[in-house]
Amino acid sequence: MDTMSSDLIKQYWQNFLYSLKEKGQSFPDRYEAWHFCNDESSANSLAKLVYFGQKTATASLAWSYETEGSPLPKAGDIGIITMWDGTPVCIIETTECQVIPIEEVPSSFAYDEGEGDRSLEYWRKVHMECYSGDCAKIGKILNSRTPIVCEHFRVVYKETGLFSG
């Protein structure tokens, strides 16, 4: 992330904290800024889905967390969702997280992810393609029991006027 994006994110976080102070609320001082996916088009379109409330869940390969040595998401975690270029879009709070085999991901979760036609069939097709590449990079083989992190979240802050429509 470049310095300008980093400054935008810090300012966005400060705007969020200021809005809470006005309401007499507080939030943890810790957050992570990130974008979805590994390509610009997907990252930007998914950020918009979150901004407009269609996307309220996300899934990731559990093995990626192991490989990176990162903790799994948990309820209460705060994230700033960005566009590919680092422009902040909104702030989310994780409300629920569970790890389940890919074959057990329910259609309700696919719907909450908000992508494509929101069907489980679409979800499986797109995610199997994505995860097979991710697995190859870390020396794992994708199968029906591959552990998937299924995370639900809610938008806790967004500034109006970012997108028209």
Side-chain angles (χ1 to χ4, degrees):
M1 183 175 339
D2 63 32
T3 305
M4 189 162 121
S5 296
S6 178
D7 289 345
L8 285 173
I9 289 168
K10 287 176 186 171
Q11 184 58 55
Y12 199 83
W13 181 253
Q14 290 305 312
N15 293 351
F16 169 59
L17 294 178
Y18 182 76
S19 75
L20 292 177
K21 187 183 264 186
E22 287 183 327
K23 299 174 192 171
Q25 299 173 317
S26 63
F27 243 80
D29 285 337
R30 226 177 51 150
Y31 65 89
E32 287 190 43
W34 52 279
H35 59 74
F36 294 99
C37 299
N38 295 320
D39 68 274
E40 184 173 1
S41 176
S42 296
N44 293 347
S45 66
L46 296 180
K48 287 178 185 176
L49 291 178
V50 174
Y51 182 87
F52 287 114
Q54 182 171 323
K55 182 173 180 60
T56 59
T58 192
S60 50
L61 190 62
W63 292 329
S64 295
Y65 289 91
E66 287 176 24
T67 302
E68 297 166 3
S70 300
L72 292 174
K74 63 185 180 318
D77 284 354
I78 304 296
I80 298 179
I81 302 302
T82 70
M83 301 291 276
W84 181 261
D85 67 4
T87 302
V89 172
C90 60
I91 297 177
I92 62 168
E93 177 184 20
T94 299
T95 57
E96 177 186 11
C97 188
Q98 60 181 347
V99 179
I100 57 175
I102 197 166
E103 70 183 356
E104 293 178 21
V105 171
S107 59
S108 60
F109 184 83
Y111 184 85
D112 291 346
E113 273 223 56
E115 301 172 31
D117 66 3
R118 301 178 92 167
S119 69
L120 184 57
E121 294 75 25
Y122 176 87
W123 184 93
R124 283 211 170 111
K125 178 185 178 300
V126 169
H127 287 79
M128 292 297 277
E129 289 172 8
C130 175
Y131 296 150
S132 62
D134 292 344
C135 284
K137 290 177 190 170
I138 60 174
K140 301 275 190 175
I141 297 172
L142 181 67
N143 62 58
S144 63
R145 301 299 299 164
T146 297
I148 302 301
V149 177
C150 295
E151 178 182 359
H152 278 91
F153 55 82
R154 67 184 180 105
V155 173
V156 294
Y157 179 79
K158 67 181 180 180
E159 295 178 357
T160 58
L162 181 60
F163 304 108
S164 58

